[in-house]
Amino acid sequence: MAIRSPSSSIFRPKNGVDQSVMEENKKLIADINRRNLLRGTVSLGALTMLTGCSVSDTGAMQAFLRAVSSFNDGVQALLFTNRLAPTFREDQVVKPPRFNAFYEIEDVKPVDGQKWKLELSGLIENKTAWTAEQIYKLPEQEIIVRHICVEGWDYIGQWSGVPLSDFLKRIGADTKAKYISFKCADDYTETLDMATALHPQTILATKYARDPIADPFGFPLRLRTSTKLGFKNAKWITAMEVTNTFQETYWSKQGFNWFAGI
Amino acid sequence: MSDSLTVKSTRRHKLHPAALRTMHWINAIAMILLIGSGWKIYNDEVLFGWLHFPDWMTFGVYAQHGLQIHFFAMWLLVINGIAYAAYGFATGRLRRKMLPIRLSEIAANIRDALRFKLAHDDITRYNAVQKMLYVGIMLVIVIQILSGLAIWKPVQFQELTALLGGFQYARLAHFIGMAAIVGFLIIHVALALLVPKTIIAMVAGGPDVADDDTAPHPAPAE
């Protein structure tokens, strides 16, 4: 065994590491190592095969698939009309709503409604930040619509809050701009096309089933639009930007379709 | 005039012209991509608790890659399918090869098959069971595209989604359509492997046949 040059680390034992335990269990260790080596080799082989099968997540193939996904954004924008999504009765509403985020419900960090502010930026005339109290006083609209997740599940929810189109008018936003980007308290990001932002069933929701939205579902402010998949509905919104510059979002960066219209 | 008529009646083409063979294999690729990526998407929110597709059977690393592949292959399927339908109607091939489908022939075919006497020497003509399966799978694919649209756009195409009984039933319909296509695929591939010259014909074109190949199917020999 080669003796390594003595380290000056204060954590290194002065008389070297005690080898007795190692000596006692030499046979066991050798056995485990041999088995692991074998298993490792097999796994490595399997991994190589996997990479062979899954060229779809990197490189030229991924670039191609993302280009098709962008093309599909354009097709969906063409298919989009201002028609309303089906609405439902109050007794069909699921309470509480189904939780979903890029982490578990236990990891939700509640937002302090007293300190919270909605920051505004971009092509907006009046960029004064809004407090929760101010936003909760705005005229509300209620929508009872189906939430459809990209994963395939759905539920009927009852949301109310100021229609986004009203709010945009109120703050003097340039509604000829292409996008509205949202930043959230959990560093989530989302970008909506302007047509969807102006849809009559797109609201900045403050209430669920007539009560203020609970912490896990986006208190104090979240987006709710009837024409997009669930993940487009940003929760715990802290900032909003009206812009002509496209900004990738939390999920679109990972390869999910950006437009995600339904 | 009579000259050109004579020429027309004697002109011959390969059993499966190059355009048709190309469309067949593009369709095969599109279908396999759609099925494998569809299984990946399904796994994210299963319809049946007992059914998860093993990862090695699915396409894409994570759900987003399955979705990317699915929404690419759908174009391949639809554009190729439109081309196939246009070609089949314009050349009369669909009518010539797939019609008529007689119930009595289907019964006779099944009787023959059970006695291991089903003739397959002549691959230029489809028997009644083949015709039924081919026309059937075409209809299933059309319905599959419709149920796919109902899942993709349950707001913009809400009538379609409602027609299928709502979003989750549209998902179920799309799943059943997939199962029917996979079932067809297994039978189709198994039978092609039993009569390998059909595979060779779908690659190389097969024997020459007359252009106006409309002669009735010869009566099955007893």
Side-chain angles (χ1 to χ4, degrees):
Chain A
M1 284 241 187
I3 311 274
R4 288 164 63 188
S5 58
S7 156
S8 58
S9 168
I10 52 165
F11 296 104
R12 179 166 278 269
K14 290 233 158 51
N15 304 317
V17 181
D18 178 17
Q19 297 286 322
S20 61
V21 182
M22 174 88 164
E23 290 297 329
E24 278 166 31
N25 296 291
K26 212 167 192 171
K27 216 179 147 227
L28 181 68
I29 291 163
D31 188 42
I32 289 168
N33 280 350
R34 208 179 307 126
R35 226 186 301 155
N36 278 353
L37 190 69
L38 204 69
R39 197 180 296 157
T41 318
V42 174
S43 315
L44 190 68
L47 195 68
T48 335
M49 279 167 66
L50 255 180
T51 344
C53 290
S54 56
V55 285
S56 60
D57 71 324
T58 50
M61 185 59 84
Q62 179 57 202
F64 170 75
L65 288 170
R66 290 210 182 202
V68 175
S69 189
S70 297
F71 172 76
N72 288 341
D73 286 338
V75 173
Q76 293 178 89
L78 288 176
L79 286 175
F80 178 85
T81 61
N82 242 355
R83 76 177 306 188
L84 300 178
T87 52
F88 300 88
R89 295 186 316 272
E90 211 169 330
D91 61 286
Q92 293 172 290
V93 172
V94 173
K95 293 174 209 170
R98 182 163 168 175
F99 174 79
N100 201 54
F102 57 94
Y103 43 81
E104 299 302 317
I105 193 162
E106 298 78 32
D107 299 323
V108 169
K109 292 193 186 76
V111 171
D112 180 351
Q114 297 298 314
K115 291 186 192 150
W116 177 88
K117 274 197 166 130
L118 176 68
E119 310 279 345
L120 301 177
S121 65
L123 306 167
I124 296 171
E125 276 170 28
N126 187 351
K127 291 178 198 160
T128 315
W130 287 65
T131 63
E133 202 184 341
Q134 288 171 314
I135 289 183
Y136 274 66
K137 277 185 189 152
L138 294 174
E140 286 176 358
Q141 185 198 329
E142 183 185 88
I143 51 172
I144 302 181
V145 289
R146 189 181 294 282
H147 174 117
I148 293 177
C149 177
V150 67
E151 293 175 340
W153 50 267
D154 71 299
Y155 72 89
I156 291 163
Q158 179 184 11
W159 304 92
S160 31
V162 60
L164 183 53
S165 61
D166 286 2
F167 190 72
L168 290 175
K169 242 176 260 159
R170 204 174 277 270
I171 59 177
D174 177 7
T175 51
K176 299 253 177 342
K178 287 184 183 160
Y179 310 106
I180 302 192
S181 289
F182 297 94
K183 282 197 172 66
C184 306
D186 59 350
D187 290 333
Y188 191 77
T189 51
E190 196 44 85
T191 299
L192 278 192
D193 53 298
M194 186 59 80
T196 301
L198 299 177
H199 186 277
Q201 287 172 325
T202 300
I203 64 175
L204 288 173
T206 52
K207 288 178 185 152
Y208 185 81
R210 297 171 189 241
D211 291 325
I213 293 173
D215 286 327
F217 310 106
F219 178 82
L221 191 70
R222 65 166 293 166
L223 186 82
R224 192 64 191 90
T225 175
S226 69
T227 67
K228 297 280 194 200
L229 288 173
F231 69 84
K232 298 298 285 183
N233 297 274
K235 298 187 278 283
W236 309 286
I237 297 171
T238 56
M240 207 174 96
E241 182 184 3
V242 177
T243 174
N244 281 309
T245 311
F246 177 72
Q247 292 170 52
E248 290 281 357
T249 70
Y250 183 86
W251 289 117
S252 77
K253 280 179 201 158
Q254 297 180 42
F256 281 93
N257 177 257
W258 168 70
F259 194 90
I262 57 175
Chain B
M1 287 302 276
S2 62
D3 225 36
S4 71
L5 274 175
T6 324
V7 169
K8 196 183 172 193
S9 64
T10 55
R11 189 182 292 164
R12 298 172 78 75
H13 67 265
K14 285 208 180 296
L15 170 64
H16 301 314
L20 185 114
R21 279 176 274 148
T22 310
M23 291 187 285
H24 172 269
W25 291 112
I26 289 177
N27 188 61
I29 291 167
M31 262 312 164
I32 288 164
L33 287 176
L34 284 163
I35 293 166
S37 60
W39 289 346
K40 175 66 85 186
I41 299 165
Y42 167 93
N43 276 352
D44 240 14
E45 178 71 13
V46 299
L47 286 164
F48 310 104
W50 47 269
L51 180 65
H52 288 72
F53 294 100
D55 257 352
W56 62 265
M57 289 171 71
T58 65
F59 293 151
V61 184
Y62 297 114
Q64 59 263 50
H65 309 115
L67 288 158
Q68 288 173 345
I69 296 167
H70 211 71
F71 285 91
F72 156 65
M74 71 169 188
W75 290 116
L76 215 54
L77 180 86
V78 168
I79 295 167
N80 189 63
I82 291 170
Y84 175 81
Y87 176 92
F89 286 118
T91 61
R93 180 185 167 98
L94 272 176
R95 181 179 43 77
R96 226 168 39 234
K97 303 244 28 125
M98 303 301 173
L99 297 175
I101 305 174
R102 295 200 179 90
L103 276 177
S104 57
E105 278 179 46
I106 295 175
N109 287 161
I110 291 170
R111 260 199 318 274
D112 291 347
L114 291 175
R115 284 183 281 169
F116 298 99
K117 278 184 180 171
L118 191 63
H120 46 68
D121 303 332
D122 180 9
I123 63 164
T124 68
R125 285 168 207 287
Y126 295 141
N127 64 42
V129 170
Q130 278 177 301
K131 289 178 184 175
M132 187 183 67
L133 282 176
Y134 289 143
V135 172
I137 198 63
M138 286 177 214
L139 293 177
V140 168
I141 292 171
V142 170
I143 296 169
Q144 189 69 347
I145 290 168
L146 293 176
S147 64
L149 278 174
I151 300 172
W152 189 35
K153 295 283 163 226
V155 171
Q156 301 305 335
F157 300 145
Q158 52 192 267
E159 292 78 12
L160 197 58
T161 315
L163 191 72
L164 291 164
F167 182 72
Q168 291 301 333
Y169 282 103
R171 283 186 73 208
L172 183 62
H174 205 58
F175 182 92
I176 293 169
M178 175 280 293
I181 292 167
V182 170
F184 169 85
L185 209 69
I186 291 168
I187 295 170
H188 182 61
V189 172
L191 292 182
L193 288 171
L194 281 177
V195 190
K197 63 184 172 184
T198 58
I199 303 176
I200 296 164
M202 197 43 91
V203 173
D208 281 352
V209 292
D211 263 5
D212 59 347
D213 174 28
T214 51
H217 195 292
E222 276 295 327

